[in-house]
């Protein structure tokens, strides 16, 4: 039973890493993942019901191990080498996946590749001035590659902001998206916020506009 538990656990970790790589393609989306992990963990560690759930889970694991040790067949009848070898290989692969996921997210490679594939749609969109002005006025939501545009603005120096989402939690939330040749002072639509810019490809950057509380 525990053998299959570890298999499912390691395969689940690998699938979670693949999900993180996909989510990292979208500016700021990893912030939502962080909060979705932090808040339940905080609830488990700080509330009586959460602590009770942790204790019950811990007790169930101990009971399962003892139960399995009582009902498993004799040691000589168990195929030792093959399961252990497979489990060791799975551990190595999972560690490699975790390491590569951390590196790829750190250098922002998934987002760079995703945006590069979507860039022709972005370039064509900003080249059509009439369509761009209509978006910024009417709040249309076009799909550019894999990205759906939520909002748009053109700053005083011609920088074009294309917001792809609003991520975070309560006072930590911020507007995220892509910007072409940004104005260092930000855009008028997002107000006098704190702007952060990070290069993606050539004149394109991803931005974060957060409120100065």
């Amino acid at each position: 039973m525990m053998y299959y538990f570890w298999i499912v656990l390691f395969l689940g970790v690998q699938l979670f890493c693949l999900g993180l790589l996909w989510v990292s393609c979208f500016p700021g989306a990893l912030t939502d993942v962080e909060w979705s992990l932090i808040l339940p963990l905080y609830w488990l560690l700080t509330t009586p019901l959460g602590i009770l759930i942790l204790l019950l889970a811990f007790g169930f694991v101990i009971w399962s191990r003892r139960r399995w040790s009582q009902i498993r067949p004799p040691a000589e009848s168990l195929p030792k080498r093959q399961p252990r070898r497979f489990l060791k290989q799975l551990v190595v692969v999972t560690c490699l996946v975790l390491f590569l996921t951390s590196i790829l997210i750190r250098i922002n490679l998934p987002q760079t590749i995703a945006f590069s594939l979507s860039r022709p749609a972005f370039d064509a969109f900003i080249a059509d001035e009439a369509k761009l002005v209509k978006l910024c006025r009417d709040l249309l939501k076009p799909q550019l590659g894999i990205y759906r545009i939520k909002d748009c603005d053109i700053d005083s120096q011609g920088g074009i902001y294309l917001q792809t989402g609003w991520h975070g939690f309560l006072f930590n939330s911020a507007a995220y998206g892509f910007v072409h040749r940004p104005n260092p002072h930000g855009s008028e639509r997002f107000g006098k916020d704190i702007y952060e810019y990070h290069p993606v490809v050539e004149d394109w950057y991803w931005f974060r506009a957060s409120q100065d509380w």
Side-chain angles (χ1 to χ4, degrees):
M1 182 176 178
M2 291 302 297
Y3 171 75
Y4 295 107
F5 168 78
W6 289 116
I7 290 179
V8 172
L9 178 63
F10 290 129
L11 290 177
V13 171
Q14 295 181 31
L15 289 175
F16 180 73
C17 288
L18 292 177
L20 285 181
L21 291 175
W22 169 252
V23 170
S24 68
C25 295
F26 302 86
L30 282 176
T31 305
D32 292 339
V33 176
E34 292 173 359
W35 280 107
S36 66
L37 295 175
I38 291 174
L39 290 179
L41 182 60
Y42 178 80
W43 179 81
L44 284 172
L45 295 175
T46 58
T47 62
L49 181 59
I51 295 174
L52 177 61
I53 292 175
L54 287 177
L55 292 175
L56 290 175
F58 182 71
F60 176 76
V61 171
I62 294 177
W63 176 84
S64 298
R65 289 179 63 88
R66 290 182 177 178
R67 179 68 175 172
W68 172 248
S69 63
Q70 294 174 358
I71 65 175
R72 66 180 178 179
E76 59 271 11
S77 65
L78 289 174
K80 295 182 179 180
R81 294 184 178 179
Q82 197 65 24
R84 290 182 179 179
R85 182 180 179 184
F86 175 74
L87 195 58
K88 289 179 180 179
Q89 292 174 344
L90 192 59
V91 171
V92 173
V93 172
T94 302
C95 292
L96 287 175
V97 170
L98 285 169
F99 176 75
L100 290 175
T101 300
S102 175
I103 295 298
L104 292 175
I105 291 177
R106 190 173 187 83
I107 65 177
N108 204 32
L109 186 60
Q111 186 183 119
T112 301
I113 295 175
F115 182 80
S116 297
L117 295 174
S118 304
R119 184 182 175 184
F122 277 81
D123 289 338
F125 186 80
I126 66 173
D128 190 335
E129 185 176 352
K131 184 184 293 186
L132 182 61
V133 172
K134 183 175 178 60
L135 167 70
C136 296
R137 289 179 178 176
D138 300 342
L139 297 181
L140 299 177
K141 295 183 178 180
Q143 185 79 25
L144 302 181
I146 68 170
Y147 302 98
R148 180 167 293 279
I149 306 303
K150 306 294 185 180
D151 201 353
C152 159
D153 190 37
I154 304 175
D155 65 34
S156 58
Q157 298 184 15
I160 302 173
Y161 290 75
L162 300 173
Q163 182 189 356
T164 57
W166 190 274
H167 303 287
F169 182 74
L170 296 179
F171 300 111
N172 231 2
S173 59
Y176 290 85
F178 295 102
V179 54
H180 184 257
R181 295 180 179 176
N183 175 359
H185 302 291
S187 73
E188 295 181 0
R189 182 181 291 275
F190 302 115
K192 296 180 179 179
D193 297 348
I194 299 175
Y195 285 82
E196 298 177 18
Y197 302 103
H198 304 271
V200 182
V201 178
E202 296 181 1
D203 293 332
W204 285 97
Y205 298 75
W206 72 266
F207 76 91
R208 178 179 187 270
S210 59
Q211 293 286 342
D212 183 7
W213 298 99

